[in-house]
Amino acid sequence: MKKIVNLSFISAVIISLMTACVTAPPRSSQNAFKLIQEGRISVKSTQAFTDCLMDGFDVASFVLTTASVRQQRRVEGYRVEVITNSAVLISADVFDTGYVKLFESEVAALVPTTEERNVFAECLKKFQAIN
């Protein structure tokens, strides 16, 4: 347990230093974000999918003590993001049409985002539209 706490602390310090020294790109900077996963869910499930991401990202980001999860209502749907020190690490778009996308920021290059990727995949599997 002590090793995990030490790793968490070290990761938090590294992330703090990285994001403090680098200007974090905004989500509107498309070159700074890479599409990781995408899919389609039932139109009726957009809010439930968003809630699934919020809950899952919150648990997945627990190790990063400076990370937080936020949800925004957008014109065409929702955006759920994992943020640390004002830098977006992971960003998911959930469109009202049922189309969903997961993006990873270039800032996350040294931060493991495997758990967040797994959360997105699990939520997609749970709410995936059946054709």
Side-chain angles (χ1 to χ4, degrees):
M1 183 67 169
K2 188 174 181 178
K3 194 176 205 177
I4 292 172
V5 172
N6 288 339
L7 278 172
S8 298
F9 177 74
I10 290 169
S11 295
V13 169
I14 289 170
I15 291 167
S16 295
L17 292 174
M18 281 177 25
T19 55
C21 298
V22 177
T23 302
R27 176 62 202 280
S28 59
S29 176
Q30 292 180 351
N31 294 336
F33 288 84
K34 180 172 65 171
L35 180 64
I36 303 297
Q37 295 179 51
E38 60 186 321
R40 186 163 297 283
I41 61 170
S42 166
V43 173
K44 296 177 189 176
S45 300
T46 55
Q47 184 60 58
F49 183 82
T50 302
D51 290 347
C52 183
L53 291 180
M54 285 288 297
D55 294 342
F57 286 172
D58 195 39
V59 171
S61 301
F62 178 73
V63 174
L64 304 174
T65 56
T66 61
S68 60
V69 181
R70 75 174 175 193
Q71 174 187 324
Q72 299 173 331
R73 177 68 179 148
R74 310 288 290 183
V75 173
E76 297 177 315
Y78 298 92
R79 180 169 288 163
V80 180
E81 297 175 315
V82 176
I83 302 168
T84 183
N85 294 331
S86 301
V88 176
L89 299 176
I90 292 287
S91 183
D93 287 333
V94 181
F95 295 98
D96 293 333
T97 60
Y99 190 53
V100 295
K101 295 180 174 183
L102 180 67
F103 296 90
E104 183 178 78
S105 169
E106 64 186 13
V107 175
L110 298 174
V111 180
T113 60
T114 305
E115 292 299 318
E116 288 83 359
R117 290 176 185 214
N118 290 342
V119 165
F120 187 90
E122 288 175 24
C123 292
L124 183 57
K125 184 177 179 182
K126 182 175 180 180
F127 295 102
Q128 194 162 15
I130 299 171
N131 294 333

CSV table of all heavy atoms in Angstrom, one decimal, residues 24-35 70 72 74 78-81 86-95 100-105:
chain,number,residue,atom,x,y,z
A,24,ALA,N,-1.2,24.5,-21.6
A,24,ALA,CA,-2.1,23.4,-21.9
A,24,ALA,C,-2.9,23.9,-23.1
A,24,ALA,O,-3.5,24.9,-23.1
A,24,ALA,CB,-3.0,23.1,-20.7
A,25,PRO,N,-3.0,23.0,-24.1
A,25,PRO,CA,-3.8,23.4,-25.3
A,25,PRO,C,-5.3,23.3,-25.0
A,25,PRO,O,-5.7,22.4,-24.2
A,25,PRO,CB,-3.4,22.3,-26.3
A,25,PRO,CG,-3.0,21.2,-25.5
A,25,PRO,CD,-2.4,21.7,-24.3
A,26,PRO,N,-6.1,24.2,-25.5
A,26,PRO,CA,-7.6,24.1,-25.3
A,26,PRO,C,-8.1,23.0,-26.2
A,26,PRO,O,-7.5,22.5,-27.1
A,26,PRO,CB,-8.1,25.4,-25.8
A,26,PRO,CG,-7.1,25.9,-26.8
A,26,PRO,CD,-5.7,25.4,-26.3
A,27,ARG,N,-9.3,22.5,-25.8
A,27,ARG,CA,-9.9,21.4,-26.6
A,27,ARG,C,-10.2,21.8,-28.0
A,27,ARG,O,-10.2,21.0,-28.9
A,27,ARG,CB,-11.2,21.0,-25.9
A,27,ARG,CG,-12.0,20.0,-26.5
A,27,ARG,CD,-11.3,18.6,-26.7
A,27,ARG,NE,-11.8,17.9,-27.8
A,27,ARG,CZ,-12.9,17.2,-27.7
A,27,ARG,NH1,-13.6,17.1,-26.5
A,27,ARG,NH2,-13.4,16.5,-28.7
A,28,SER,N,-10.3,23.1,-28.3
A,28,SER,CA,-10.6,23.6,-29.6
A,28,SER,C,-9.3,23.4,-30.5
A,28,SER,O,-9.5,23.5,-31.8
A,28,SER,CB,-11.0,25.0,-29.6
A,28,SER,OG,-10.0,25.8,-29.0
A,29,SER,N,-8.2,23.1,-29.9
A,29,SER,CA,-7.0,22.9,-30.7
A,29,SER,C,-6.9,21.4,-31.1
A,29,SER,O,-6.5,20.6,-30.4
A,29,SER,CB,-5.7,23.2,-29.8
A,29,SER,OG,-4.6,22.9,-30.5
A,30,GLN,N,-7.5,21.1,-32.3
A,30,GLN,CA,-7.7,19.8,-32.7
A,30,GLN,C,-6.4,19.0,-32.9
A,30,GLN,O,-6.3,17.8,-32.7
A,30,GLN,CB,-8.5,19.7,-34.0
A,30,GLN,CG,-9.9,20.2,-33.8
A,30,GLN,CD,-10.7,20.1,-35.1
A,30,GLN,OE1,-10.2,19.9,-36.2
A,30,GLN,NE2,-12.0,20.4,-35.0
A,31,ASN,N,-5.3,19.7,-33.2
A,31,ASN,CA,-4.0,19.0,-33.4
A,31,ASN,C,-3.4,18.5,-32.1
A,31,ASN,O,-2.5,17.7,-32.1
A,31,ASN,CB,-3.0,19.9,-34.1
A,31,ASN,CG,-3.4,20.3,-35.5
A,31,ASN,OD1,-4.1,19.5,-36.1
A,31,ASN,ND2,-2.9,21.4,-36.0
A,32,ALA,N,-3.9,19.1,-31.0
A,32,ALA,CA,-3.4,18.7,-29.7
A,32,ALA,C,-4.1,17.5,-29.1
A,32,ALA,O,-3.7,17.0,-28.0
A,32,ALA,CB,-3.5,19.9,-28.7
A,33,PHE,N,-5.2,17.0,-29.7
A,33,PHE,CA,-6.0,15.9,-29.2
A,33,PHE,C,-6.1,14.8,-30.3
A,33,PHE,O,-6.3,15.1,-31.4
A,33,PHE,CB,-7.4,16.4,-28.8
A,33,PHE,CG,-7.4,17.2,-27.6
A,33,PHE,CD1,-7.2,18.6,-27.6
A,33,PHE,CD2,-7.6,16.6,-26.4
A,33,PHE,CE1,-7.1,19.3,-26.5
A,33,PHE,CE2,-7.6,17.4,-25.2
A,33,PHE,CZ,-7.4,18.7,-25.3
A,34,LYS,N,-5.9,13.6,-29.8
A,34,LYS,CA,-6.0,12.4,-30.7
A,34,LYS,C,-7.2,11.6,-30.4
A,34,LYS,O,-7.5,11.3,-29.2
A,34,LYS,CB,-4.7,11.6,-30.4
A,34,LYS,CG,-4.6,10.4,-31.3
A,34,LYS,CD,-3.3,9.7,-31.1
A,34,LYS,CE,-3.1,9.2,-29.7
A,34,LYS,NZ,-1.9,8.3,-29.6
A,35,LEU,N,-8.0,11.2,-31.4
A,35,LEU,CA,-9.1,10.4,-31.2
A,35,LEU,C,-8.7,9.0,-30.8
A,35,LEU,O,-7.9,8.4,-31.5
A,35,LEU,CB,-9.9,10.3,-32.6
A,35,LEU,CG,-11.2,9.4,-32.5
A,35,LEU,CD1,-12.2,10.0,-31.5
A,35,LEU,CD2,-11.8,9.4,-33.9
A,70,ARG,N,-15.1,16.9,-15.0
A,70,ARG,CA,-16.2,17.8,-15.2
A,70,ARG,C,-17.0,17.4,-16.3
A,70,ARG,O,-16.6,16.8,-17.3
A,70,ARG,CB,-15.6,19.2,-15.4
A,70,ARG,CG,-15.0,19.5,-16.7
A,70,ARG,CD,-14.6,20.9,-16.9
A,70,ARG,NE,-13.9,21.1,-18.2
A,70,ARG,CZ,-13.3,22.2,-18.5
A,70,ARG,NH1,-13.1,23.2,-17.7
A,70,ARG,NH2,-12.7,22.3,-19.7
A,72,GLN,N,-19.9,19.1,-19.1
A,72,GLN,CA,-20.5,20.4,-19.6
A,72,GLN,C,-21.6,20.0,-20.6
A,72,GLN,O,-21.5,19.0,-21.3
A,72,GLN,CB,-19.5,21.2,-20.4
A,72,GLN,CG,-18.3,21.6,-19.7
A,72,GLN,CD,-17.2,22.2,-20.6
A,72,GLN,OE1,-17.1,21.9,-21.8
A,72,GLN,NE2,-16.5,23.2,-20.1
A,74,ARG,N,-23.2,20.9,-23.9
A,74,ARG,CA,-22.8,21.6,-25.2
A,74,ARG,C,-24.1,21.7,-26.1
A,74,ARG,O,-25.1,21.1,-25.8
A,74,ARG,CB,-21.7,20.8,-25.9
A,74,ARG,CG,-20.5,20.4,-25.0
A,74,ARG,CD,-19.7,21.5,-24.6
A,74,ARG,NE,-19.0,22.0,-25.8
A,74,ARG,CZ,-18.0,22.9,-25.8
A,74,ARG,NH1,-17.8,23.5,-24.7
A,74,ARG,NH2,-17.4,23.3,-26.9
A,78,TYR,N,-23.1,16.4,-24.7
A,78,TYR,CA,-22.3,16.6,-23.5
A,78,TYR,C,-20.8,16.4,-23.7
A,78,TYR,O,-20.4,15.7,-24.6
A,78,TYR,CB,-22.7,15.6,-22.4
A,78,TYR,CG,-24.2,15.7,-22.0
A,78,TYR,CD1,-25.2,14.9,-22.7
A,78,TYR,CD2,-24.6,16.5,-21.0
A,78,TYR,CE1,-26.5,15.0,-22.4
A,78,TYR,CE2,-25.9,16.6,-20.6
A,78,TYR,CZ,-26.9,15.9,-21.3
A,78,TYR,OH,-28.2,16.0,-21.0
A,79,ARG,N,-20.0,17.0,-22.8
A,79,ARG,CA,-18.6,16.8,-22.9
A,79,ARG,C,-18.2,16.5,-21.4
A,79,ARG,O,-18.5,17.1,-20.5
A,79,ARG,CB,-17.8,18.0,-23.3
A,79,ARG,CG,-16.3,17.8,-23.4
A,79,ARG,CD,-15.6,18.9,-24.1
A,79,ARG,NE,-15.9,18.8,-25.5
A,79,ARG,CZ,-15.7,19.8,-26.4
A,79,ARG,NH1,-15.2,21.0,-26.0
A,79,ARG,NH2,-15.9,19.6,-27.7
A,80,VAL,N,-17.4,15.4,-21.3
A,80,VAL,CA,-16.9,14.9,-20.0
A,80,VAL,C,-15.4,14.9,-20.1
A,80,VAL,O,-14.8,14.3,-21.0
A,80,VAL,CB,-17.4,13.5,-19.6
A,80,VAL,CG1,-16.9,13.1,-18.3
A,80,VAL,CG2,-19.0,13.5,-19.6
A,81,GLU,N,-14.7,15.6,-19.1
A,81,GLU,CA,-13.3,15.7,-19.2
A,81,GLU,C,-12.6,15.4,-17.9
A,81,GLU,O,-13.2,15.6,-16.8
A,81,GLU,CB,-12.9,17.1,-19.6
A,81,GLU,CG,-13.4,17.4,-21.0
A,81,GLU,CD,-13.1,18.9,-21.4
A,81,GLU,OE1,-13.4,19.8,-20.6
A,81,GLU,OE2,-12.7,19.1,-22.6
A,86,SER,N,-5.7,22.6,-14.7
A,86,SER,CA,-6.3,23.3,-15.9
A,86,SER,C,-5.9,22.7,-17.2
A,86,SER,O,-6.2,23.3,-18.2
A,86,SER,CB,-5.9,24.8,-15.9
A,86,SER,OG,-6.4,25.4,-14.7
A,87,ALA,N,-5.3,21.6,-17.2
A,87,ALA,CA,-5.0,20.9,-18.5
A,87,ALA,C,-5.9,19.7,-18.7
A,87,ALA,O,-6.1,18.9,-17.8
A,87,ALA,CB,-3.5,20.4,-18.4
A,88,VAL,N,-6.5,19.6,-19.8
A,88,VAL,CA,-7.4,18.5,-20.1
A,88,VAL,C,-6.6,17.3,-20.5
A,88,VAL,O,-5.7,17.4,-21.5
A,88,VAL,CB,-8.4,18.9,-21.3
A,88,VAL,CG1,-9.2,17.7,-21.7
A,88,VAL,CG2,-9.2,20.1,-20.9
A,89,LEU,N,-6.7,16.2,-19.9
A,89,LEU,CA,-6.0,15.0,-20.2
A,89,LEU,C,-6.8,14.1,-21.1
A,89,LEU,O,-6.4,13.6,-22.1
A,89,LEU,CB,-5.7,14.2,-18.9
A,89,LEU,CG,-4.8,14.9,-17.9
A,89,LEU,CD1,-4.6,14.0,-16.7
A,89,LEU,CD2,-3.4,15.2,-18.5
A,90,ILE,N,-8.1,13.9,-20.8
A,90,ILE,CA,-9.0,13.0,-21.5
A,90,ILE,C,-10.3,13.9,-21.7
A,90,ILE,O,-10.8,14.5,-20.8
A,90,ILE,CB,-9.4,11.8,-20.7
A,90,ILE,CG1,-8.2,10.9,-20.6
A,90,ILE,CG2,-10.5,11.0,-21.3
A,90,ILE,CD1,-7.8,10.1,-21.9
A,91,SER,N,-10.9,13.7,-22.9
A,91,SER,CA,-12.1,14.5,-23.2
A,91,SER,C,-13.0,13.6,-24.0
A,91,SER,O,-12.6,13.0,-25.0
A,91,SER,CB,-11.8,15.7,-24.0
A,91,SER,OG,-12.9,16.5,-24.3
A,92,ALA,N,-14.3,13.4,-23.6
A,92,ALA,CA,-15.2,12.6,-24.3
A,92,ALA,C,-16.4,13.5,-24.7
A,92,ALA,O,-16.9,14.3,-23.9
A,92,ALA,CB,-15.7,11.5,-23.4
A,93,ASP,N,-16.8,13.3,-26.0
A,93,ASP,CA,-18.0,14.0,-26.5
A,93,ASP,C,-19.1,13.0,-26.6
A,93,ASP,O,-18.9,11.9,-27.1
A,93,ASP,CB,-17.7,14.6,-27.8
A,93,ASP,CG,-16.8,15.8,-27.8
A,93,ASP,OD1,-16.9,16.5,-26.7
A,93,ASP,OD2,-16.1,16.1,-28.7
A,94,VAL,N,-20.3,13.3,-26.1
A,94,VAL,CA,-21.5,12.5,-26.2
A,94,VAL,C,-22.5,13.3,-26.9
A,94,VAL,O,-23.1,14.2,-26.3
A,94,VAL,CB,-22.0,12.1,-24.8
A,94,VAL,CG1,-23.2,11.1,-24.9
A,94,VAL,CG2,-20.8,11.4,-24.0
A,95,PHE,N,-22.7,13.0,-28.2
A,95,PHE,CA,-23.7,13.7,-29.0
A,95,PHE,C,-25.1,13.3,-28.8
A,95,PHE,O,-25.3,12.1,-28.5
A,95,PHE,CB,-23.3,13.7,-30.5
A,95,PHE,CG,-22.0,14.3,-30.8
A,95,PHE,CD1,-20.8,13.5,-30.8
A,95,PHE,CD2,-21.9,15.7,-30.9
A,95,PHE,CE1,-19.6,14.1,-31.1
A,95,PHE,CE2,-20.6,16.3,-31.2
A,95,PHE,CZ,-19.5,15.5,-31.3
A,100,VAL,N,-20.5,8.9,-30.0
A,100,VAL,CA,-19.6,9.2,-28.8
A,100,VAL,C,-18.1,9.1,-29.3
A,100,VAL,O,-17.8,8.2,-30.1
A,100,VAL,CB,-19.9,8.3,-27.6
A,100,VAL,CG1,-21.3,8.5,-27.1
A,100,VAL,CG2,-19.7,6.8,-28.0
A,101,LYS,N,-17.3,10.0,-28.8
A,101,LYS,CA,-15.9,10.0,-29.1
A,101,LYS,C,-15.1,10.2,-27.8
A,101,LYS,O,-15.5,11.0,-27.0
A,101,LYS,CB,-15.6,11.1,-30.1
A,101,LYS,CG,-16.2,11.1,-31.4
A,101,LYS,CD,-15.8,12.3,-32.2
A,101,LYS,CE,-16.2,12.2,-33.6
A,101,LYS,NZ,-15.8,13.4,-34.4
A,102,LEU,N,-13.9,9.6,-27.8
A,102,LEU,CA,-12.9,9.8,-26.7
A,102,LEU,C,-11.6,10.3,-27.3
A,102,LEU,O,-11.1,9.7,-28.2
A,102,LEU,CB,-12.7,8.5,-26.0
A,102,LEU,CG,-11.7,8.6,-24.8
A,102,LEU,CD1,-12.3,9.5,-23.7
A,102,LEU,CD2,-11.3,7.2,-24.3
A,103,PHE,N,-11.2,11.4,-26.7
A,103,PHE,CA,-9.9,12.1,-27.2
A,103,PHE,C,-8.9,12.1,-26.0
A,103,PHE,O,-9.3,12.2,-24.9
A,103,PHE,CB,-10.2,13.5,-27.6
A,103,PHE,CG,-11.1,13.6,-28.8
A,103,PHE,CD1,-12.4,13.8,-28.7
A,103,PHE,CD2,-10.5,13.7,-30.1
A,103,PHE,CE1,-13.3,13.9,-29.8
A,103,PHE,CE2,-11.4,13.8,-31.2
A,103,PHE,CZ,-12.7,13.9,-31.0
A,104,GLU,N,-7.7,12.0,-26.4
A,104,GLU,CA,-6.6,12.2,-25.4
A,104,GLU,C,-5.7,13.4,-25.8
A,104,GLU,O,-5.4,13.5,-27.0
A,104,GLU,CB,-5.7,10.9,-25.4
A,104,GLU,CG,-4.7,10.9,-24.3
A,104,GLU,CD,-3.9,9.6,-24.3
A,104,GLU,OE1,-3.0,9.4,-25.2
A,104,GLU,OE2,-4.2,8.8,-23.4
A,105,SER,N,-5.4,14.2,-24.8
A,105,SER,CA,-4.5,15.4,-25.0
A,105,SER,C,-3.1,15.0,-25.2
A,105,SER,O,-2.6,14.0,-24.6
A,105,SER,CB,-4.7,16.3,-23.9
A,105,SER,OG,-3.8,17.4,-23.9
